[in-house]
Amino acid sequence: MPKYMKAILFNLVCVLLFPTTLYANEQYPALEAAQWSYATDPYGSIAKVKNKLITEEGVWINFNRIPRVDPQRNSWIEVIYTPDPALLLGTNKITLTYKCDTPLLIKLSQTHYGKQGDKSYAHYQVKLPAASQWRPQEVELNDFARPDWTPMDSIDYGIVLEKVNALYLTPSLTDKDGGLATLQIRSLTLKK
């Protein structure tokens, strides 16, 4: 058998027997630690990280969200990505690679709906499926919608990128039950 055929056969066997080795060598741009943070409510929800939020593989965080406290006080958990505003202005798509024990919500934190606006927190959002393995995903801003529970008196301004100050990434845990979830993010890119 010619040498080049042996090399091709060897590479094919390696890919078939050791696909994780090939996958582990994929390169992702490093996440800028200054753009990433997390937050929980002041009522008892907890977030745990490994020494710091950004690890060698990207974001790693474990949340324990408590159930809603009462009608006026709701619990919440979130990883916050704060991109450069100029980069956000031209965005049409978001691509990310993630793992999450539950479906993952990406919310566009828009001042119209937050504490500087109507305080409904009914931000435009999209729900991605749970993923136990690294899952690459691309979503268009057209896929985002306001949640079903949006109050009737909350004016819908649409997505106004000039008023979006961050992206919130949060495991989809219910207000009623709360729960545990681990979220990992290997990459996140804003695209035109």
Side-chain angles (χ1 to χ4, degrees):
M1 179 181 294
K3 283 186 179 182
Y4 73 91
M5 287 301 287
K6 287 180 183 179
I8 291 171
L9 186 58
F10 175 77
N11 287 334
L12 181 61
V13 169
C14 286
V15 168
L16 293 174
L17 294 178
F18 308 107
T20 54
T21 304
L22 200 65
Y23 184 73
N25 291 331
E26 286 186 48
Q27 294 297 315
Y28 293 90
L31 301 177
E32 291 186 41
Q35 294 179 311
W36 293 88
S37 60
Y38 64 93
T40 61
D41 61 73
Y43 311 120
S45 295
I46 299 169
K48 293 180 185 173
V49 298
K50 296 178 178 178
N51 293 334
K52 54 187 178 179
L53 179 62
I54 308 291
T55 69
E56 287 181 13
E57 285 194 327
V59 169
W60 187 97
I61 191 162
N62 177 264
F63 287 112
N64 182 354
R65 180 182 174 192
I66 64 166
R68 184 180 195 111
V69 177
D70 57 43
Q72 286 75 39
R73 296 178 299 159
N74 197 8
S75 63
W76 44 270
I77 54 172
E78 58 203 17
V79 169
I80 305 163
Y81 171 62
T82 310
D84 175 8
L87 181 62
L88 188 57
L89 283 180
T91 298
N92 289 317
K93 297 177 186 177
I94 300 168
T95 62
L96 73 157
T97 301
Y98 72 96
K99 288 184 192 179
C100 191
D101 299 335
T102 66
L104 175 64
L105 296 174
I106 302 176
K107 302 177 184 182
L108 303 174
S109 174
Q110 188 166 311
T111 55
H112 290 113
Y113 314 121
K115 66 181 173 183
Q116 297 171 351
D118 68 10
K119 298 178 181 60
S120 70
Y121 299 97
H123 299 296
Y124 273 82
Q125 62 186 31
V126 66
K127 185 185 278 192
L128 306 179
S132 60
Q133 301 296 318
W134 288 115
R135 179 183 176 97
Q137 184 81 44
E138 181 174 272
V139 290
E140 296 189 18
L141 292 189
N142 291 339
D143 297 331
F144 284 70
R146 296 188 78 196
D148 294 341
W149 52 261
T150 299
M152 296 282 285
D153 63 348
S154 179
I155 298 169
D156 188 348
Y157 293 93
I159 297 173
V160 182
L161 290 176
E162 294 86 354
K163 298 291 185 176
V164 173
N165 54 22
L167 277 65
Y168 296 160
L169 299 104
T170 183
S172 183
L173 300 169
T174 65
D175 294 350
K176 179 184 175 206
D177 299 323
L180 297 168
T182 298
L183 169 61
Q184 294 177 261
I185 301 167
R186 182 173 267 178
S187 68
L188 191 149
T189 308
L190 305 178
K191 293 185 170 184
K192 296 183 181 205

